[in-house]
Amino acid sequence: MAYLQGCYPLVGKEQLTAGIYSYTVSCPEIVSQAVPGQFVHVRVDGFSLRRPISICGIDTENGLLRMVFEVRGKGTEALAQLVPGQKIDLLGPLGNGFTPPAGQQVVLVGGGIGVPPLLELAARAGDRATAILGFRTASAVILAEDFRAHSCDLRLATDDGSEGYHGFVTGLLEERLAEGAPGMVCACGPMAMLKGVVEIAEAHGVPTQVSLEERMGCGVGACLVCACKTVRDGREVFTHVCKDGPVFDGKEVVFA
Amino acid sequence: MAYLQGCYPLVGKEQLTAGIYSYTVSCPEIVSQAVPGQFVHVRVDGFSLRRPISICGIDTENGLLRMVFEVRGKGTEALAQLVPGQKIDLLGPLGNGFTPPAGQQVVLVGGGIGVPPLLELAARAGDRATAILGFRTASAVILAEDFRAHSCDLRLATDDGSEGYHGFVTGLLEERLAEGAPGMVCACGPMAMLKGVVEIAEAHGVPTQVSLEERMGCGVGACLVCACKTVRDGREVFTHVCKDGPVFDGKEVVFA
Amino acid sequence: MSRLEVNLAGVTLKNPVITASGCCGYGREYDKLYPIERLGGISVKGTTLQERQGNPPCRIAETPSGMLNSVGLQNPGVEAFLQNELPHLKSRDVAVIANVAGSTVEEYCAIAERLDGSGIDLLEVNISCPNVKEGGAAFGTSCTSAAEVVAQMRRRTSKPMMVKLSPNVTDIVSIARAVEDAGADAVSLINTLLGMRIDLKTRRPVLHNNVGGLSGPAVFPVAVRMVWQVAGAVKIPVVGMGGISCWQDAIEMMLAGARAVQIGAALFADPYTPVKVVEGIDAWLEQNGISDVNEIVGAVRPW
Amino acid sequence: MSRLEVNLAGVTLKNPVITASGCCGYGREYDKLYPIERLGGISVKGTTLQERQGNPPCRIAETPSGMLNSVGLQNPGVEAFLQNELPHLKSRDVAVIANVAGSTVEEYCAIAERLDGSGIDLLEVNISCPNVKEGGAAFGTSCTSAAEVVAQMRRRTSKPMMVKLSPNVTDIVSIARAVEDAGADAVSLINTLLGMRIDLKTRRPVLHNNVGGLSGPAVFPVAVRMVWQVAGAVKIPVVGMGGISCWQDAIEMMLAGARAVQIGAALFADPYTPVKVVEGIDAWLEQNGISDVNEIVGAVRPW
Ligand SMILES: Cc1cc2nc3c(=O)[nH]c(=O)nc-3n(C[C@H](O)[C@H](O)[C@H](O)COP(=O)(O)OP(=O)(O)OC[C@H]3O[C@@H](n4cnc5c(N)ncnc54)[C@H](O)[C@@H]3O)c2cc1C
Ligand SMILES: Cc1cc2nc3c(=O)[nH]c(=O)nc-3n(C[C@H](O)[C@H](O)[C@H](O)COP(=O)(O)OP(=O)(O)OC[C@H]3O[C@@H](n4cnc5c(N)ncnc54)[C@H](O)[C@@H]3O)c2cc1C
Ligand SMILES: Cc1cc2nc3c(=O)[nH]c(=O)nc-3n(C[C@H](O)[C@H](O)[C@H](O)COP(=O)(O)O)c2cc1C
Ligand SMILES: Cc1cc2nc3c(=O)[nH]c(=O)nc-3n(C[C@H](O)[C@H](O)[C@H](O)COP(=O)(O)O)c2cc1C
Ligand code: FES
Ligand code: FES
């Protein structure tokens, strides 16, 4: 798979909720290669390492790439200062995306800032998708309208019950699977959530794909820093999130 | 002497000639303390050391400080990217200024980017000042109009004769001193020029003050990196440009 | 007692923030921006027995997130320090740390003796200056010579002695242990890493001394590592420095094992750094409900 | 002959720019951006006798103008290298440098022997990896053990041997001399400086290995200094690395005495760095009327 590096104009910026921004970048070359679940590696002025951010939207027609990120530390804070018109240095698209079986139902499970990578999947699956999205509280909910716009079956959960289901996404997932088995569950979010999702789906005999996070150097498989423990050919080995992932078969992942 | 540190708005930016910029900064607190010949220590984003830049104009009434700088390396290049409205982190006013004897004639000798620190002296001396300014070539001439506006006796020299006197400022200085001795010669420019100026002035029995350059750390006398060899109490010692200078009695300076 | 107070070899510092030797002169310059009482302590310019002129300029070079210096211990000598500088420092409520260096063991001892009866609070024995030909780092790079200097000085002074270690060594832990065994009351680290820059146009080293000492944020991870290693190996307090430029860095250094921190190069970019660090640590302690800064010293939990 | 060509221990490099071990895998990844033929050479990931899994994550931490890594020599082992990686590398017009490491002298020798008949151009003997418990830097921090490894390997291979030195030593010059005397055909330096970062929130080291190797622009001045010292002390060619991020840095390193340069961490910020460095050096030679890049090697004029 080919990837590119370049400086591309930021054409749209929107704050979704406190500390979370949606950026639209015009980068037709990257967009034309991208699939849902891949990421771009973003250079931020003044920082030695790039920041990996998942691809949230792929608008091939207009060559626009969307990414949604949360301010977590100094790098994302600096990234959030950009204004439309400025350029942004991207390396991508990188890694392997989600590959839900064509034409079948798919359940998307996202937690917090793990939600954005699922949006483009929803866009492609339309009403075959159930999107189970969990957030801390009502004010932290993002992208709900976007998922609805893609006519998926949207089910919200909040930890504090301030919106939708009161509890974790795993509860909603149990409910959904009880209604019938989809072709796959695709998930992104905190490790604890992913572990629960994989366990539940496996109990229902449904295959899973999960998107993992690890700190990165190169982003392309050259430096081996982004190790994550997975089972390959029956033994536990360190594979690499940037190259072998970020999307892994849920069965392969060794949850600590 | 007190100095300050703060972030002040850049209110005016002008390119004087290729690679040379005039910045006007609104910093009433610094301006109210400043005297001609002092400098400010300028922080540039992304660089660990500040850049010393001489004070070129002091507008006490409006609280405006002017500085004129040339792009020489990466730091001044970055400094030149600022746009009016942005803030600039200044430490100043620092060092000792020129102290020509009050009410007497003064000759100002400047070479290239050594010219700006003399402008405020000209402003204060008015028609008591002769300004002898040397440049490489006509297109490198800066601030001539500003000196004229202060009604001093302006005499230009260019190395290639493309404007004014064909030759070095030292030639013009000889001419000027032949016309009669001023109270002092104040000079700023390359070391070779300063050496010539001091020799000529001494030969005419005229006291001199020269502004020196050396690479700086703190800018305030705390780190001792900006050493320059001077004669104090009859022996050669390393004094410090930022604290003991940048303006020194010409007789004190040990020209290599 | 304030939650910021720390004890360093018997000396009480009102907060754990000290300005590093060579970066704040004798305290007069930054005192014009803020009263030096805001600091826990001040480590003065490296002082020798006799006046020293230091190295010829250029003495400074910029590097990515750091700088090189090759001042070479320019200072007026111990007598001038006692006469012209110590009185004004003593009149202020701040711990005075006398950073001293010699070319020979005898010189180190003579300075120790001369300062013994003085008003200084703590001796900082610089056996790690990379910018002088004789003495300096030569003493700091071998356990035997480091211990020798300290043992000899120990006999000449009753002042608490903090030994400043060089990072330019294979095994800083054994040097720390050697000086502890020889009678040091504390260690401070790191001094600068030896570095070099070359000007492409002139093809000459930027520094007239060819090489110089690297400091500033660039060296911070090396300093944290060394402080962690040394703090785990000695019983005496460790003072951490090297690249600290914000309160987060200071807390990181304390978690690694530093009882107090020193701040050098960061002063040049932002002279208010030490004050901001004091305030930042205090606010962080408040937010985290920690009533005594000493609780975080060495509190890192390694994997 | 191109003005960029250099000779490294008998191996001709079409230009003096090599991608550093551990930062470019086995050449497959960056080949997707530009043909690896643009490079003078590629130093592959540190390879051991047997497969190694490396250290648990987290393996990377950001630092001011640099980064720490604690990969710990994850690699598929020498057989897998020969079978799966070397063939595609040999099919390309680029010098292949096999970076190798062992836990024991015997392992170093076994790898040397195994690679002797292979298509690699040069062995780079890594006696300086700070991220493994056994072997690694342990060999690189003493003259005797460094010389021992090299002397033993020398008997098992006819490939030119470049020894990669650790900067975490008091005296890199004597180690360079020791490996030269033991039969090294070149030295490369620097490997990473040992560093540490701590997370304030968790109070744990960022790296699961607690400490890791510092590289990137932050270490550049240290690398230039060491290259200058070593180049002045040995007769074999020196390959310089550590913090090179632009062509100016590469030229500075060459002026200090490097016959060729390696580029590591800079790849992560800008994967095109090596290509830009090749082009930048070429343009600078052109502008300065220099017809052979070898002219600038060691051309610094110290004060
Ligand atoms: C494949 C992948 C996709 C991601 N997609 C998104 C996304 O779509 N939206 C979003 O908000 N976040 C995403 N993240 C997380 C995002 O990369 C981190 O939040 C970000 O790097 C933090 O940078 P910082 O400068 O704010 O934090 P700092 O703590 O200052 O960063 C220090 C270093 O740690 C790294 N780091 C810190 N946290 C993480 C983390 N969770 N994952 C990886 N590296 C980290 C940084 O990249 C940097 O190198 C993704 C991570 C990965 C691995
Ligand atoms: C007291 C004083 C007053 C000055 N006034 C002016 C002025 O009014 N206008 C103007 O254009 N220039 C002035 N200079 C020179 C100016 O400071 C340098 O041109 C500038 O620092 C170069 O920075 P750079 O990032 O472009 O160069 P770089 O080469 O990237 O700088 C690297 C380092 O060297 C230092 N440095 C490089 N050249 C000089 C120099 N000539 N003097 C001091 N430090 C240097 C830089 O400050 C920096 O720390 C003055 C210098 C001094 C000491
Ligand atoms: C300009 C300068 C001068 C210094 N002079 C001394 C000195 O005289 N004695 C000493 O022990 N350390 C000296 N140092 C080292 C500092 O005290 C400190 O150990 C080092 O700079 C690391 O801290 P930093 O990164 O905060 O600067 C000097 C450092 C600088 C930058
Ligand atoms: C992620 C990473 C992995 C590395 N792995 C190796 C290795 O396997 N063998 C080795 O000799 N050096 C290794 N190094 C060190 C580099 O080859 C190089 O010596 C060092 O990073 C300094 O160069 P730089 O500043 O350009 O990165 C590694 C460096 C990094 C950043
Ligand atoms: S980030 Fe380099 S291999 Fe994954
Ligand atoms: S720059 Fe620090 S003393 Fe002059």
Side-chain angles (χ1 to χ4, degrees):
Chain A
M1 263 170 311
Y3 62 93
L4 298 111
Q5 180 270 330
C7 290
Y8 302 98
L10 176 64
V11 296
K13 174 178 178 171
E14 197 191 337
Q15 182 165 353
L16 301 185
T17 182
I20 299 192
Y21 295 85
S22 169
Y23 274 18
T24 307
V25 181
S26 171
C27 50
E29 302 84 351
I30 293 181
V31 164
S32 70
Q33 314 265 353
V35 298
Q38 287 188 300
F39 68 98
V40 287
H41 215 19
V42 185
R43 190 168 182 181
V44 188
D45 256 18
F47 293 83
S48 28
L49 298 177
R50 289 173 179 262
R51 267 55 181 171
I53 303 289
S54 293
I55 293 172
C56 168
I58 303 171
D59 175 352
T60 331
E61 205 172 320
N62 302 299
L64 299 178
L65 184 131
R66 184 180 185 189
M67 54 199 198
V68 170
F69 67 94
E70 183 173 20
V71 172
R72 289 274 188 88
K74 291 188 182 171
T76 45
E77 194 181 313
L79 186 61
Q81 305 306 314
L82 289 189
V83 292
Q86 284 188 289
K87 291 204 165 174
I88 177 164
D89 181 338
L90 301 182
L91 184 69
L94 301 176
N96 301 310
F98 291 103
T99 51
Q104 299 189 30
Q105 300 243 317
V106 60
V107 175
L108 314 175
V109 186
I113 197 62
V115 165
L118 303 173
L119 182 60
E120 184 63 28
L121 275 181
R124 297 187 180 194
D127 60 10
R128 283 180 289 106
T130 305
I132 300 175
L133 310 182
F135 301 92
R136 254 183 315 102
T137 185
S139 66
V141 173
I142 52 166
L143 300 176
E145 285 316 310
D146 299 73
F147 275 89
R148 274 197 200 101
H150 295 310
S151 59
C152 65
D153 169 15
L154 177 68
R155 307 182 184 190
L156 285 179
T158 52
D159 300 355
D160 63 1
S162 54
E163 191 167 339
Y165 176 84
H166 187 167
F168 298 133
V169 287
T170 38
L172 285 179
L173 178 62
E174 292 272 17
E175 283 184 19
R176 169 61 186 79
L177 295 186
E179 297 164 17
M184 183 178 276
V185 173
C186 297
C188 185
M191 272 309 233
M193 179 200 105
L194 295 181
K195 191 179 177 194
V197 167
V198 170
E199 280 167 7
I200 292 167
E202 276 182 6
H204 287 79
V206 178
T208 57
Q209 286 185 339
V210 297
S211 179
L212 302 186
E213 286 191 3
E214 193 45 73
R215 296 201 180 202
M216 291 188 179
C218 67
V220 301
C223 75
L224 311 185
V225 308
C226 59
C228 69
K229 200 167 261 176
T230 54
V231 177
R232 292 265 157 117
D233 306 326
R235 54 181 205 129
E236 289 192 1
V237 293
F238 282 132
T239 50
H240 297 95
V241 170
C242 72
K243 195 180 185 177
D244 305 305
V247 176
F248 288 89
D249 182 335
K251 278 200 302 291
E252 284 182 351
V253 179
V254 180
F255 293 101
Chain B
M1 263 170 311
Y3 63 92
L4 298 111
Q5 181 269 331
C7 290
Y8 302 98
L10 175 65
V11 296
K13 172 176 179 172
E14 197 192 335
Q15 181 164 353
L16 301 185
T17 181
I20 300 191
Y21 295 84
S22 169
Y23 275 17
T24 306
V25 181
S26 171
C27 51
E29 302 85 351
I30 292 182
V31 164
S32 70
Q33 314 265 354
V35 298
Q38 286 187 300
F39 68 98
V40 287
H41 215 19
V42 185
R43 188 167 183 182
V44 188
D45 256 18
F47 293 84
S48 27
L49 298 176
R50 289 174 179 264
R51 266 57 181 171
I53 304 288
S54 293
I55 294 171
C56 168
I58 303 171
D59 175 352
T60 331
E61 205 172 317
N62 301 298
L64 299 178
L65 184 132
R66 184 181 185 188
M67 53 197 199
V68 170
F69 67 93
E70 183 173 20
V71 173
R72 289 273 191 88
K74 289 187 183 172
T76 45
E77 194 182 313
L79 187 62
Q81 306 305 316
L82 288 189
V83 292
Q86 284 189 289
K87 292 204 165 174
I88 177 164
D89 181 339
L90 301 182
L91 183 70
L94 301 175
N96 301 309
F98 291 103
T99 52
Q104 298 187 31
Q105 300 243 314
V106 60
V107 174
L108 314 174
V109 186
I113 197 65
V115 165
L118 304 173
L119 183 60
E120 185 63 28
L121 276 181
R124 298 186 179 195
D127 60 10
R128 283 181 289 103
T130 306
I132 300 175
L133 310 182
F135 300 92
R136 252 182 316 102
T137 185
S139 65
V141 173
I142 52 166
L143 299 175
E145 284 317 309
D146 298 74
F147 275 88
R148 274 196 199 101
H150 294 310
S151 60
C152 65
D153 169 14
L154 177 67
R155 307 182 185 189
L156 285 180
T158 51
D159 300 355
D160 63 1
S162 54
E163 189 166 341
Y165 176 84
H166 186 166
F168 297 133
V169 287
T170 38
L172 286 178
L173 178 63
E174 291 273 18
E175 283 183 20
R176 170 62 186 77
L177 295 186
E179 297 164 18
M184 181 178 276
V185 173
C186 297
C188 185
M191 273 309 234
M193 180 200 103
L194 296 181
K195 190 177 180 197
V197 167
V198 170
E199 280 168 6
I200 293 168
E202 276 181 7
H204 287 79
V206 179
T208 56
Q209 286 185 339
V210 298
S211 178
L212 301 186
E213 287 191 2
E214 193 46 73
R215 295 201 181 203
M216 291 188 179
C218 68
V220 302
C223 75
L224 310 186
V225 308
C226 60
C228 68
K229 200 167 261 177
T230 54
V231 176
R232 291 265 157 115
D233 306 326
R235 54 179 204 130
E236 289 191 0
V237 294
F238 281 133
T239 50
H240 298 95
V241 170
C242 72
K243 194 177 187 178
D244 305 305
V247 175
F248 289 89
D249 182 336
K251 279 201 300 294
E252 286 181 350
V253 179
V254 180
F255 293 102
Chain C
M1 201 191 90
S2 136
R3 64 178 158 228
L4 287 177
E5 195 174 299
V6 297
N7 182 299
L8 195 59
V11 181
T12 299
L13 307 184
K14 71 169 90 67
N15 66 58
V17 179
I18 303 165
T19 49
S21 177
C23 301
C24 59
Y26 294 98
R28 293 185 191 273
E29 289 77 19
Y30 293 118
D31 196 33
K32 292 179 183 163
L33 282 186
Y34 47 86
I36 54 175
E37 280 85 357
R38 302 283 294 274
L39 306 169
I42 163 167
S43 175
V44 304
K45 177 65 199 170
T47 301
T48 49
L49 196 55
Q50 307 296 334
E51 178 190 15
R52 281 183 62 101
Q53 286 296 319
N55 293 319
C58 168
R59 294 179 176 181
I60 189 168
E62 194 170 44
T63 74
S65 295
M67 56 165 282
L68 297 173
N69 91 80
S70 57
V71 172
L73 292 182
Q74 176 168 21
N75 81 91
V78 69
E79 290 306 331
F81 165 66
L82 286 171
Q83 273 186 35
N84 307 331
E85 305 294 349
L86 189 57
H88 92 89
L89 281 170
K90 283 311 294 175
S91 73
R92 311 294 294 272
D93 177 24
V94 63
V96 180
I97 302 174
N99 184 282
V100 300
S103 311
T104 60
V105 176
E106 289 66 44
E107 267 181 45
Y108 276 102
C109 289
I111 302 172
E113 209 162 67
R114 188 67 193 85
L115 291 173
D116 190 31
S118 79
I120 65 155
D121 295 294
L122 194 70
L123 270 174
E124 183 172 48
V125 186
N126 178 2
I127 53 167
S128 44
C129 180
N131 293 320
V132 292
K133 292 239 153 49
E134 283 137 30
F139 288 107
T141 50
S142 119
C143 292
T144 354
S145 56
E148 165 81 1
V149 172
V150 175
Q152 295 289 343
M153 288 178 81
R154 180 72 296 166
R155 295 197 220 137
R156 314 291 195 86
T157 182
S158 55
K159 294 283 181 196
M161 270 171 37
M162 173 160 83
V163 180
K164 185 157 174 186
L165 305 180
S166 168
N168 300 297
V169 295
T170 309
D171 182 7
I172 196 165
V173 164
S174 44
I175 301 200
R177 286 205 181 109
V179 300
E180 177 180 40
D181 290 344
D185 303 294
V187 285
S188 59
L189 60 151
I190 57 175
N191 209 316
T192 52
L193 281 158
L194 201 59
M196 182 183 200
R197 290 305 306 260
I198 299 168
D199 186 308
L200 257 54
K201 286 199 196 90
T202 62
R203 297 192 182 181
R204 308 213 71 155
V206 174
L207 299 175
H208 200 282
N209 192 44
N210 297 324
V211 296
L214 179 65
S215 62
V219 309
F220 182 65
V222 174
V224 172
R225 183 263 297 183
M226 289 185 163
V227 164
W228 179 64
Q229 289 178 324
V230 168
V234 298
K235 291 190 194 65
I236 52 180
V238 175
V239 172
M241 78 192 92
I244 294 174
S245 71
C246 59
W247 60 267
Q248 290 92 336
D249 294 345
I251 293 176
E252 190 169 334
M253 197 66 101
M254 297 187 78
L255 288 170
R259 179 65 51 90
V261 297
Q262 293 191 22
I263 295 175
L267 286 163
F268 310 156
D270 179 0
Y272 283 101
T273 307
V275 173
K276 291 180 182 166
V277 169
V278 173
E279 288 167 358
I281 297 176
D282 197 41
W284 183 84
L285 292 175
E286 171 87 41
Q287 275 158 30
N288 288 272
I290 302 170
S291 59
D292 179 358
V293 73
N294 290 286
E295 276 178 34
I296 68 165
V297 177
V300 62
R301 291 181 303 127
W303 296 99
Chain D
M1 201 189 89
S2 136
R3 63 179 159 228
L4 288 177
E5 194 173 300
V6 296
N7 182 300
L8 194 60
V11 180
T12 300
L13 306 184
K14 70 170 90 65
N15 66 58
V17 179
I18 302 165
T19 49
S21 178
C23 301
C24 58
Y26 294 98
R28 293 186 191 272
E29 289 76 19
Y30 292 119
D31 196 35
K32 292 178 183 164
L33 283 185
Y34 47 85
I36 54 175
E37 279 85 357
R38 302 284 293 274
L39 306 170
I42 163 166
S43 175
V44 304
K45 176 65 198 168
T47 301
T48 49
L49 196 55
Q50 306 296 334
E51 178 188 15
R52 280 182 65 101
Q53 286 296 321
N55 293 319
C58 167
R59 294 180 175 181
I60 189 169
E62 195 170 45
T63 73
S65 297
M67 56 165 281
L68 297 173
N69 91 81
S70 58
V71 172
L73 291 182
Q74 176 168 21
N75 79 92
V78 67
E79 290 307 329
F81 165 66
L82 286 172
Q83 271 187 35
N84 308 331
E85 305 294 348
L86 189 58
H88 92 90
L89 282 169
K90 283 311 292 176
S91 73
R92 312 293 294 271
D93 177 25
V94 63
V96 180
I97 302 175
N99 184 283
V100 300
S103 311
T104 60
V105 177
E106 289 66 45
E107 265 180 47
Y108 277 102
C109 290
I111 302 171
E113 210 163 67
R114 189 65 192 84
L115 291 173
D116 190 32
S118 78
I120 66 155
D121 294 295
L122 194 70
L123 270 174
E124 183 172 48
V125 186
N126 177 1
I127 53 169
S128 44
C129 179
N131 292 320
V132 292
K133 293 241 151 52
E134 284 138 28
F139 289 107
T141 50
S142 120
C143 291
T144 354
S145 57
E148 166 80 1
V149 172
V150 176
Q152 295 290 342
M153 288 178 81
R154 180 73 296 167
R155 294 196 221 139
R156 312 293 194 87
T157 181
S158 54
K159 294 283 180 194
M161 270 173 37
M162 172 159 84
V163 180
K164 185 158 174 186
L165 305 179
S166 168
N168 301 296
V169 295
T170 310
D171 182 6
I172 196 166
V173 165
S174 43
I175 301 200
R177 285 204 182 112
V179 300
E180 178 180 40
D181 290 345
D185 304 294
V187 285
S188 57
L189 61 152
I190 57 175
N191 209 317
T192 52
L193 281 157
L194 202 58
M196 182 183 200
R197 291 303 307 262
I198 298 169
D199 186 309
L200 257 55
K201 288 200 197 90
T202 62
R203 297 192 182 182
R204 307 213 73 156
V206 174
L207 299 175
H208 200 282
N209 192 44
N210 297 324
V211 296
L214 178 65
S215 62
V219 308
F220 182 65
V222 174
V224 172
R225 184 264 297 181
M226 290 186 163
V227 164
W228 179 64
Q229 290 179 323
V230 168
V234 298
K235 290 190 196 68
I236 51 179
V238 174
V239 172
M241 79 192 93
I244 294 174
S245 72
C246 58
W247 61 266
Q248 290 92 336
D249 294 346
I251 293 174
E252 191 169 334
M253 197 64 100
M254 295 187 81
L255 288 171
R259 177 67 51 90
V261 298
Q262 293 191 20
I263 296 174
L267 287 164
F268 310 157
D270 179 359
Y272 284 100
T273 307
V275 173
K276 291 179 181 164
V277 169
V278 173
E279 287 166 359
I281 298 175
D282 197 42
W284 183 84
L285 292 175
E286 172 87 41
Q287 274 158 32
N288 288 272
I290 302 170
S291 60
D292 179 359
V293 73
N294 290 286
E295 276 178 34
I296 68 166
V297 177
V300 63
R301 291 180 305 127
W303 296 100

